[in-house]
Amino acid sequence: MNFASDNTAGIAPEILDAIIAANAGFAPGYGNDDTTRRVERKLCDIFEREVATFIAPTGTAANALGLAHITPPWGGVLCHAESHIVTDECGAPEFFGGGLKLIGLPGVGCKLAVDTLRAAINRYSGDRPHQVNAAALSLTQASEAGTIYRTHELAALCELAHAHGLKVQMDGARFANALVRLNASPAEVTWKAGVDVLAFGATKSGALAAEAIVFFDPAAAAFMGERRKRAGHLISKHRFLAAQFEAFLANDCWLRLACHANAMADRLAKNLTEVGRRPVWPVEANLVFVMLPKSLDSKLKSAGATYYSRHSDSLPDGLAIGPDQMLVRLVTSFATTAEEVDRFARLMTV
Amino acid sequence: MNFASDNTAGIAPEILDAIIAANAGFAPGYGNDDTTRRVERKLCDIFEREVATFIAPTGTAANALGLAHITPPWGGVLCHAESHIVTDECGAPEFFGGGLKLIGLPGVGCKLAVDTLRAAINRYSGDRPHQVNAAALSLTQASEAGTIYRTHELAALCELAHAHGLKVQMDGARFANALVRLNASPAEVTWKAGVDVLAFGATKSGALAAEAIVFFDPAAAAFMGERRKRAGHLISKHRFLAAQFEAFLANDCWLRLACHANAMADRLAKNLTEVGRRPVWPVEANLVFVMLPKSLDSKLKSAGATYYSRHSDSLPDGLAIGPDQMLVRLVTSFATTAEEVDRFARLMTV
Amino acid sequence: MNFASDNTAGIAPEILDAIIAANAGFAPGYGNDDTTRRVERKLCDIFEREVATFIAPTGTAANALGLAHITPPWGGVLCHAESHIVTDECGAPEFFGGGLKLIGLPGVGCKLAVDTLRAAINRYSGDRPHQVNAAALSLTQASEAGTIYRTHELAALCELAHAHGLKVQMDGARFANALVRLNASPAEVTWKAGVDVLAFGATKSGALAAEAIVFFDPAAAAFMGERRKRAGHLISKHRFLAAQFEAFLANDCWLRLACHANAMADRLAKNLTEVGRRPVWPVEANLVFVMLPKSLDSKLKSAGATYYSRHSDSLPDGLAIGPDQMLVRLVTSFATTAEEVDRFARLMTV
Amino acid sequence: MNFASDNTAGIAPEILDAIIAANAGFAPGYGNDDTTRRVERKLCDIFEREVATFIAPTGTAANALGLAHITPPWGGVLCHAESHIVTDECGAPEFFGGGLKLIGLPGVGCKLAVDTLRAAINRYSGDRPHQVNAAALSLTQASEAGTIYRTHELAALCELAHAHGLKVQMDGARFANALVRLNASPAEVTWKAGVDVLAFGATKSGALAAEAIVFFDPAAAAFMGERRKRAGHLISKHRFLAAQFEAFLANDCWLRLACHANAMADRLAKNLTEVGRRPVWPVEANLVFVMLPKSLDSKLKSAGATYYSRHSDSLPDGLAIGPDQMLVRLVTSFATTAEEVDRFARLMTV
């Protein structure tokens, strides 16, 4: 019953097999290998256009490298106040971006609304050169609350951003989990909706460590190789990163893995609802948030359940964490089984 | 006959097996797993003292993170002018170090002499706050020329550095190759000789991607976790980095792998010498440099040999690359076979 | 009727005379002159302890240099959300601080309350190394709203900050204006209350361009000279900065200039109150904020008044800027005359 | 007999008068005043084209801001190894440029030769993304040795740089001194020769603190306002910087001041040559370097002479500083008198 993070799972079998297979013989280092070329072409296919791809070993790197490439040091990045880049990356975007400023905005379910974005753009425009002006928008798909932006929501946000000269980055650490929930193609939920650069995560979905930074306008990626290298994120035996992505993307493996994780979250949500613990936010990816009495916590933990509690200012209207309550985050992954999910819910009823 | 780099080899079998074994079940992310703890303890054993260890996925990261932690942004790092940090990391030390300055010094065989260091310390001291003052010394062991510092040479350099307030970093991307050539313990060639922080490489020696930053004074590592995290170098599924190191260090695996690579370099050097192509520098690790007529190059390449040519200002006195010559770097690794080595040398005689 | 900023006034006569007098003969550059030595000693006298002083030409530099010296790149600076460092310095603290994070907090009248600070420290502590942890507190004295912290308020905030390991910086661009309102000595409202480093402004008070960064623990200022130099803020003909400060501090000139500016603000507040336009915040320094109908604005402007309108989320409870209103900031200075003040208020009644 | 630096002189009378005159009344801050507009237009006139101008208070800032604007963080700046940006700015270019690399090159008389530049461009091109590639060329006019580049020399260097995609910055801390020696217009020795951005110094020539960053392609200056602001180099009472420049440029004041300083250097060189102490480099600006026996030093100092000794690796062929000698730098300025010059030379003969 490990619901602590999708990072606590190991490597999906298809991906581990690919690492093993990639170990045959010699290959040029630093991304000059054939596997890397194939992954680059595969991503062009998946996104239905020429894209420029750079693989890095962590999501923090993928976010920070992408943001730094579209935001000048004197620019601001509009994003949700509880997004990963704000709360969990120890200032990586600021470091990579030469001191750029993350501007955290509110929004229920960790999603940004168009009105919120409009007000923020108005506020962080003008009064140059005194005020940091908004230069980019970062959207998390799926969000930290496990919610997802619909295609039309993305399009509206991106259109507004572009109309004011902002570039749009998407933190897609759980991009696959969002995609399989939407009735849309990868192209439709990214560049066709207006996303300029995507951090396309494989690690949380089942890779060892592999995240792709995808620029939908290859020209905008000029010198990204240098930026990645000097950040220490060009892996020398790059074939092993590429092999992970190749297996991840082959035969819809990534979609299958995400579907399983999401299905486990759905099952968990259903189970919890049935025992009177309805998730606080809609369960749309592989994250389930429930409010639990503190008294239940030790019981669950001693039964072997693992998870983290969270604070949030993004709860639905009228909801707050009571003094005897905790907001608990339950994460499912490709490795989660129906048995653990059912067992966890049963613990609540005993 | 792939002598292009020790990065073109794959993963040593022992290490790949460890990755596979580590894939069982769930484990806490971000280095909070048991394997990471064991590796930390193992490194204390190997170095015969308490050390603070941080694993990163690349040598560039390991060097830049370590250097940034011991050098203020206004400080200079004295190092060989042809060291990896100067020529091959695209400014990573400057980026991580907030604009610190690398000060490249000359030295035959890519080694620094005590007199050179003394003169540099004198030159880069004083005239504050106008002049960047030397704050650190970086030594590469084994060097880019495949030569190694003897224990007494290290001690003399470190003593001089410490006497003037400089900290000492060692780029040990090929630390194992150097160690097995010296009749000394890991402790003797590092902290006992005066090294403050070591980038201890496993990748070139046979890992997928794993480099340990080892602080010999754990107190000097305070907040290194933050520095690594915000650089995007804290791998979420950290157990897989730790597993690589655990296998690498277990049962003297690292020493065996390095001995093999060095033995192949020795054999190559012997073969080349016998056909009249004596290496330009002493072969002390897993690198062999020879001067070849350009006419031979295409023959070797078409026979399937892979290697890079290099420029160097660190040749022994009296030696220069003639107009029809090229300086060729041949790198051996754990995966190099005696057959390829012998075949390569035979190509020269035909 | 120029109430746009205290920056629109020129140089106070005493200070201009000092610049002229300093022009005699030659003097060593870069702060090695006698005048600089005298200013350093004078500041020790004024603050009743050994202090380390560094003069810079702008308040932005003084704030950013001081903050960068007490906050690591991975640290957060707690401050009011409408403080100058957040809204008006184009990311200078982030740039100087290698990507540190400013964490803006709410507070009526642009002042931070102890409870707000406590909650923020709790929120921005722990979860290392993922979360940026609070490392410093920045207080603006007088605040952007023209309010001031009482000595006991400063002491309570600093005590709380220190108890959690935070250093305290004070943005004293209008330090003189605050001081003359408090019945306290310079020492009492700075280091005796717990301030670690002060940006002590002279420019807004009447200098051409001179701000002193004052470290109350000289040891904490080690290498500040290097930090200032590499930021381009060590003025070569430094005697002219020192001369400004010497005249500013001599014979209580700074206190007199500030008293005049404050008196003009008081007079303006009284006038406005009499015509039914009570300032929105207490007038405690040289800033007066009033809510005006937009219809009045063009009348005032065409009569020759100069001022800026502002937005604020720090209004007293129950107050908001109506759709036909604007919040107007009126700044007085050493150069403001009673005539302009009275004329401005009269315009409202006609 | 103060020959220590042109920074030890005070403010030229014309410029001080302008500061005094600028003190009348109120003026908008931050460069929004009329004087700043006039200076901007005047510089367009002087350079015979539209230029974008930004005034900063120090030469270090002017150099670092300009270089950072034309060089990406992963780029290298080719420059003379003894240029001010390398030896005397404590890493300011690296700080402002996000970790860019200064690549110091040799050259007699602190000037770069075309062949040296060509070799450096070849060396620092390619091997991307591993090697820092040359992105800019910085030329010092007049040089640190007091020599100057002829117009055709500038043109040849800039043409070579541009042909390889490098931008060209000129450190013109002593631009006026160079210009008055050349039979050429300001346009001819800058943009017509290929210079992209100039740090046009007034401070060493007689201002209090004023340096203009001049972009010859205004489009290339986009967001320079932000870069300057966040570096703390936008002076609030900007009219006083602009007033310095206005007086400096009015009625050929700058040319007269430079002519005087140069004439004093010529006179000093002639005097020294007559007593057998021929300057080591051609005296082409306001710097005179002579080799003196150490025994003479204390005599000169006790007679009241002030100057610094220097080391240099840029001496003419065959010349070296003997064990009993010192290389002495003598700087003249607008404030130097013929009497001091003559007195200094006489001291050598007694």
Side-chain angles (χ1 to χ4, degrees):
Chain A
M1 293 189 298
N2 192 305
F3 303 115
S5 172
D6 19 24
N7 285 327
T8 59
I11 311 170
E14 298 89 334
I15 295 173
L16 182 56
D17 288 346
I19 292 173
I20 296 167
N23 201 34
F26 292 84
Y30 300 113
N32 297 312
D33 58 288
D34 294 340
T35 316
T36 300
R37 290 295 86 71
R38 288 196 304 271
V39 168
E40 289 169 350
R41 284 195 298 271
K42 178 72 175 180
L43 284 164
C44 295
D45 291 346
I46 285 177
F47 287 107
E48 303 172 43
R49 64 169 294 155
E50 284 301 303
V51 300
T53 298
F54 300 82
I55 311 182
T58 67
T60 295
N63 281 329
L65 288 169
L67 285 169
H69 220 60
I70 60 171
T71 315
W74 44 83
V77 176
L78 303 179
C79 54
H80 194 279
E82 296 178 33
S83 59
H84 198 266
I85 57 173
V86 172
T87 63
D88 283 287
E89 300 189 352
C90 202
E94 291 91 338
F95 170 48
F96 283 69
L100 60 75
K101 192 190 283 278
L102 298 182
I103 300 171
L105 306 175
V108 173
C110 294
K111 286 173 61 180
L112 295 180
V114 165
D115 286 351
T116 305
L117 178 62
R118 186 178 294 112
I121 291 175
N122 283 344
R123 178 165 171 184
Y124 294 100
S125 295
D127 195 21
R128 291 178 52 194
H130 303 279
Q131 182 183 232
V132 169
N133 275 223
L137 166 67
S138 177
L139 300 170
T140 310
Q141 178 81 314
S143 83
E144 299 301 316
T147 57
I148 62 177
Y149 290 99
R150 273 32 180 208
T151 308
H152 71 275
E153 292 174 326
L154 289 174
L157 289 162
C158 293
E159 186 182 13
L160 181 58
H162 287 163
H164 291 84
L166 282 69
K167 298 285 183 190
V168 182
Q169 188 258 4
M170 177 173 279
D171 176 352
R174 295 187 181 97
F175 179 70
N177 301 94
L179 181 71
V180 298
R181 190 73 76 170
L182 292 160
N183 188 22
S185 70
E188 285 167 342
V189 298
T190 55
W191 65 274
K192 286 186 177 175
V195 174
D196 295 297
V197 58
L198 169 69
F200 181 3
T203 310
K204 282 181 160 70
S205 289
L208 192 169
E211 309 278 311
I213 308 160
V214 181
F215 285 84
F216 296 108
D217 173 8
F223 294 101
M224 187 65 188
E226 275 78 2
R227 191 183 288 282
R228 178 178 55 168
K229 174 64 190 178
R230 76 197 309 257
H233 283 293
L234 175 56
I235 298 288
S236 58
K237 296 181 179 176
H238 194 273
R239 59 169 143 164
F240 294 108
L241 259 72
Q244 294 178 60
F245 249 101
E246 187 167 44
F248 182 59
L249 298 176
N251 307 315
D252 291 342
C253 174
W254 63 304
L255 304 176
R256 275 199 317 280
L257 294 172
C259 279
H260 176 82
N262 286 9
M264 289 301 101
D266 290 349
R267 186 180 187 110
L268 186 53
K270 181 165 171 292
N271 286 348
L272 290 167
T273 303
E274 287 173 1
V275 298
R277 305 229 170 264
R278 186 191 189 77
V280 299
W281 292 303
V283 173
E284 300 177 335
N286 62 322
L287 305 176
V288 179
F289 287 80
V290 280
M291 206 73 84
L292 292 186
K294 285 180 181 173
S295 55
L296 198 50
D297 180 52
S298 56
K299 181 186 169 190
L300 293 167
K301 292 271 173 66
S302 59
T306 312
Y307 51 79
Y308 290 109
S309 65
R310 293 275 155 151
H311 292 281
S312 179
D313 296 322
S314 306
L315 293 171
D317 271 350
L319 199 61
I321 308 177
D324 299 325
Q325 290 182 306
M326 50 201 297
L327 177 63
V328 161
R329 186 187 79 160
L330 305 166
V331 191
T332 58
S333 73
F334 77 91
T336 305
T337 63
E339 289 68 31
E340 328 175 75
V341 164
D342 294 350
R343 195 175 143 226
F344 183 81
R346 272 200 307 276
L347 282 168
M348 304 225 172
T349 61
V350 186
Chain B
M1 293 189 298
N2 192 305
F3 303 114
S5 171
D6 19 24
N7 284 328
T8 59
I11 310 170
E14 298 90 333
I15 296 173
L16 182 56
D17 287 346
I19 292 173
I20 296 167
N23 200 35
F26 292 84
Y30 300 112
N32 297 312
D33 58 289
D34 295 339
T35 315
T36 300
R37 289 296 86 70
R38 288 197 303 270
V39 167
E40 290 169 350
R41 284 196 298 270
K42 177 72 174 180
L43 283 164
C44 295
D45 291 346
I46 284 177
F47 287 107
E48 304 172 43
R49 64 169 294 154
E50 283 302 301
V51 301
T53 297
F54 301 82
I55 310 182
T58 67
T60 295
N63 280 329
L65 288 168
L67 285 170
H69 221 58
I70 60 171
T71 314
W74 45 81
V77 176
L78 303 180
C79 54
H80 194 280
E82 296 178 34
S83 59
H84 198 266
I85 57 174
V86 172
T87 63
D88 283 286
E89 300 189 351
C90 202
E94 291 91 337
F95 170 48
F96 283 68
L100 60 76
K101 191 190 283 279
L102 298 183
I103 299 171
L105 306 176
V108 174
C110 293
K111 287 174 60 181
L112 295 180
V114 165
D115 285 350
T116 305
L117 178 62
R118 184 178 296 113
I121 291 175
N122 283 344
R123 178 165 172 184
Y124 294 100
S125 294
D127 195 21
R128 292 178 52 194
H130 302 278
Q131 182 184 231
V132 170
N133 275 222
L137 167 67
S138 177
L139 299 171
T140 310
Q141 177 81 316
S143 83
E144 299 300 317
T147 56
I148 61 176
Y149 289 98
R150 276 19 181 219
T151 308
H152 71 277
E153 292 174 326
L154 290 173
L157 289 162
C158 293
E159 186 182 14
L160 182 59
H162 286 164
H164 290 83
L166 282 70
K167 297 284 183 191
V168 181
Q169 188 258 5
M170 178 173 277
D171 176 352
R174 297 187 179 98
F175 179 69
N177 302 93
L179 181 71
V180 297
R181 189 73 76 169
L182 292 160
N183 188 22
S185 70
E188 285 167 343
V189 298
T190 55
W191 65 273
K192 286 186 176 175
V195 175
D196 294 296
V197 57
L198 170 69
F200 181 5
T203 311
K204 282 183 159 69
S205 290
L208 193 169
E211 310 278 312
I213 307 160
V214 180
F215 285 85
F216 295 107
D217 173 8
F223 293 102
M224 186 66 189
E226 275 78 1
R227 190 184 289 280
R228 178 178 57 167
K229 174 66 189 177
R230 77 197 309 257
H233 284 293
L234 176 55
I235 298 288
S236 58
K237 297 181 178 175
H238 194 273
R239 59 168 142 166
F240 295 108
L241 259 72
Q244 293 178 59
F245 249 101
E246 189 169 42
F248 182 57
L249 298 176
N251 306 314
D252 292 342
C253 173
W254 63 306
L255 304 177
R256 274 200 317 279
L257 295 172
C259 280
H260 176 83
N262 286 8
M264 290 300 101
D266 290 349
R267 186 181 187 111
L268 186 53
K270 182 165 170 291
N271 286 348
L272 289 168
T273 303
E274 287 173 1
V275 299
R277 305 228 169 265
R278 186 191 190 77
V280 299
W281 291 303
V283 173
E284 301 178 333
N286 62 323
L287 304 175
V288 179
F289 288 82
V290 279
M291 205 73 83
L292 292 186
K294 286 180 179 172
S295 56
L296 197 51
D297 180 53
S298 56
K299 181 185 169 192
L300 292 167
K301 292 272 173 64
S302 59
T306 312
Y307 52 80
Y308 290 109
S309 65
R310 292 277 156 150
H311 291 280
S312 178
D313 296 321
S314 306
L315 293 173
D317 272 349
L319 200 61
I321 307 177
D324 300 323
Q325 289 182 305
M326 50 200 298
L327 177 64
V328 161
R329 187 187 77 160
L330 305 166
V331 191
T332 58
S333 74
F334 77 92
T336 305
T337 63
E339 287 69 31
E340 337 176 67
V341 164
D342 295 349
R343 193 174 145 226
F344 183 81
R346 272 200 307 275
L347 282 168
M348 304 226 173
T349 60
V350 186
Chain C
M1 294 188 298
N2 192 304
F3 303 115
S5 171
D6 18 23
N7 284 327
T8 60
I11 311 170
E14 298 89 334
I15 295 174
L16 182 56
D17 287 346
I19 292 173
I20 296 166
N23 200 34
F26 293 83
Y30 301 113
N32 296 312
D33 58 288
D34 294 340
T35 316
T36 300
R37 287 297 85 71
R38 287 196 304 271
V39 168
E40 289 169 351
R41 284 196 297 272
K42 178 72 175 180
L43 283 164
C44 295
D45 291 345
I46 285 177
F47 287 107
E48 302 173 43
R49 64 169 295 155
E50 284 301 302
V51 301
T53 297
F54 300 82
I55 310 181
T58 68
T60 294
N63 281 328
L65 289 168
L67 285 169
H69 221 58
I70 61 171
T71 314
W74 44 82
V77 176
L78 303 179
C79 53
H80 194 279
E82 297 178 33
S83 60
H84 198 266
I85 57 173
V86 172
T87 63
D88 283 286
E89 300 189 350
C90 202
E94 291 91 337
F95 170 48
F96 283 69
L100 59 76
K101 192 190 282 277
L102 298 183
I103 300 171
L105 306 175
V108 173
C110 294
K111 285 174 62 180
L112 295 179
V114 165
D115 285 351
T116 306
L117 178 62
R118 185 178 295 111
I121 291 175
N122 283 344
R123 178 165 172 183
Y124 295 100
S125 295
D127 196 21
R128 292 178 52 194
H130 303 279
Q131 182 184 231
V132 170
N133 275 223
L137 167 67
S138 177
L139 300 171
T140 310
Q141 179 80 317
S143 84
E144 299 300 317
T147 57
I148 61 176
Y149 289 100
R150 273 30 180 210
T151 308
H152 71 276
E153 292 175 325
L154 290 173
L157 289 162
C158 294
E159 186 182 13
L160 181 58
H162 286 164
H164 291 83
L166 282 68
K167 297 286 183 189
V168 181
Q169 188 259 4
M170 177 172 279
D171 176 353
R174 296 186 180 98
F175 179 71
N177 302 94
L179 181 71
V180 297
R181 191 73 77 170
L182 292 160
N183 188 21
S185 70
E188 284 167 343
V189 299
T190 55
W191 65 273
K192 286 186 176 175
V195 174
D196 295 297
V197 57
L198 168 69
F200 180 4
T203 311
K204 282 181 160 70
S205 289
L208 192 169
E211 310 279 310
I213 308 160
V214 181
F215 286 85
F216 296 108
D217 173 8
F223 294 102
M224 187 66 188
E226 275 78 2
R227 190 182 288 281
R228 178 178 56 168
K229 173 65 190 177
R230 75 197 309 257
H233 283 294
L234 175 56
I235 298 288
S236 58
K237 297 181 178 175
H238 194 272
R239 59 170 143 165
F240 295 108
L241 259 71
Q244 293 177 61
F245 249 100
E246 187 168 42
F248 183 57
L249 298 176
N251 306 315
D252 291 341
C253 174
W254 64 305
L255 305 177
R256 274 198 319 279
L257 295 173
C259 280
H260 176 83
N262 286 9
M264 291 300 101
D266 290 350
R267 186 179 187 114
L268 185 53
K270 180 164 171 292
N271 286 348
L272 290 167
T273 303
E274 287 174 1
V275 298
R277 305 228 169 266
R278 186 192 190 77
V280 299
W281 292 303
V283 173
E284 301 177 334
N286 62 322
L287 305 175
V288 179
F289 288 81
V290 279
M291 208 73 85
L292 292 186
K294 286 180 179 172
S295 55
L296 197 52
D297 180 53
S298 56
K299 180 186 168 190
L300 292 167
K301 293 272 174 65
S302 58
T306 313
Y307 51 81
Y308 291 108
S309 65
R310 293 276 156 151
H311 291 281
S312 179
D313 297 321
S314 306
L315 294 172
D317 272 351
L319 200 61
I321 308 177
D324 300 325
Q325 289 181 306
M326 50 201 297
L327 177 63
V328 161
R329 186 187 78 160
L330 306 166
V331 191
T332 57
S333 73
F334 77 91
T336 306
T337 63
E339 289 69 31
E340 331 176 71
V341 164
D342 294 349
R343 195 176 143 224
F344 183 82
R346 273 199 307 275
L347 282 169
M348 304 229 173
T349 60
V350 187
Chain D
M1 294 188 296
N2 192 304
F3 302 115
S5 171
D6 19 23
N7 284 328
T8 59
I11 311 171
E14 298 89 333
I15 296 174
L16 182 56
D17 287 347
I19 292 173
I20 296 166
N23 200 35
F26 293 83
Y30 301 113
N32 297 312
D33 57 289
D34 294 339
T35 316
T36 300
R37 289 296 85 70
R38 287 197 304 270
V39 168
E40 289 169 351
R41 284 195 299 271
K42 178 72 175 181
L43 283 165
C44 295
D45 291 346
I46 284 177
F47 286 107
E48 303 172 44
R49 65 168 294 153
E50 283 302 301
V51 301
T53 298
F54 300 83
I55 310 182
T58 67
T60 294
N63 281 329
L65 288 168
L67 285 169
H69 220 59
I70 60 171
T71 314
W74 44 81
V77 176
L78 303 179
C79 54
H80 194 280
E82 296 178 34
S83 59
H84 198 266
I85 58 174
V86 172
T87 63
D88 283 286
E89 301 188 351
C90 202
E94 292 91 338
F95 170 48
F96 283 69
L100 60 77
K101 192 190 283 278
L102 299 183
I103 299 171
L105 306 175
V108 173
C110 293
K111 287 174 60 181
L112 295 180
V114 166
D115 285 351
T116 305
L117 178 62
R118 185 178 295 114
I121 291 175
N122 283 344
R123 179 166 171 183
Y124 294 99
S125 294
D127 195 20
R128 293 178 52 194
H130 302 278
Q131 181 184 235
V132 170
N133 275 222
L137 167 66
S138 177
L139 299 171
T140 310
Q141 177 80 318
S143 82
E144 299 300 317
T147 57
I148 62 177
Y149 289 98
R150 277 16 180 221
T151 308
H152 71 276
E153 291 174 326
L154 290 173
L157 289 163
C158 293
E159 186 182 15
L160 181 59
H162 286 164
H164 291 83
L166 282 69
K167 297 284 183 190
V168 181
Q169 187 258 5
M170 178 173 279
D171 175 353
R174 297 188 180 96
F175 179 69
N177 301 95
L179 180 72
V180 298
R181 189 74 76 171
L182 293 160
N183 188 21
S185 70
E188 285 167 345
V189 298
T190 56
W191 65 273
K192 286 186 176 175
V195 175
D196 295 296
V197 57
L198 169 69
F200 181 4
T203 311
K204 283 183 160 68
S205 289
L208 193 169
E211 310 278 311
I213 308 161
V214 181
F215 285 85
F216 296 107
D217 173 8
F223 293 102
M224 186 66 189
E226 275 78 1
R227 189 183 289 281
R228 178 178 56 168
K229 174 65 189 178
R230 75 198 310 258
H233 283 292
L234 176 56
I235 297 288
S236 58
K237 297 181 179 176
H238 194 273
R239 59 168 141 165
F240 294 109
L241 259 71
Q244 292 178 60
F245 249 101
E246 188 169 43
F248 183 57
L249 298 175
N251 306 314
D252 292 341
C253 174
W254 63 305
L255 304 177
R256 273 200 318 279
L257 294 173
C259 280
H260 176 81
N262 286 8
M264 290 301 102
D266 290 350
R267 187 180 188 112
L268 185 53
K270 181 164 170 292
N271 286 348
L272 289 167
T273 303
E274 287 174 2
V275 298
R277 305 228 169 266
R278 186 191 190 78
V280 299
W281 292 304
V283 173
E284 300 178 334
N286 63 322
L287 304 175
V288 179
F289 287 81
V290 279
M291 206 74 83
L292 292 186
K294 286 180 180 172
S295 55
L296 197 52
D297 180 53
S298 55
K299 182 187 168 190
L300 293 166
K301 294 270 173 66
S302 58
T306 312
Y307 52 80
Y308 290 109
S309 65
R310 292 275 155 151
H311 292 280
S312 179
D313 297 321
S314 305
L315 293 173
D317 272 350
L319 199 61
I321 308 178
D324 300 325
Q325 290 181 306
M326 49 201 297
L327 178 64
V328 161
R329 185 186 79 161
L330 305 166
V331 191
T332 58
S333 74
F334 77 91
T336 305
T337 62
E339 288 68 31
E340 331 176 72
V341 165
D342 295 349
R343 196 177 141 223
F344 183 82
R346 272 199 308 275
L347 282 169
M348 304 227 174
T349 59
V350 186

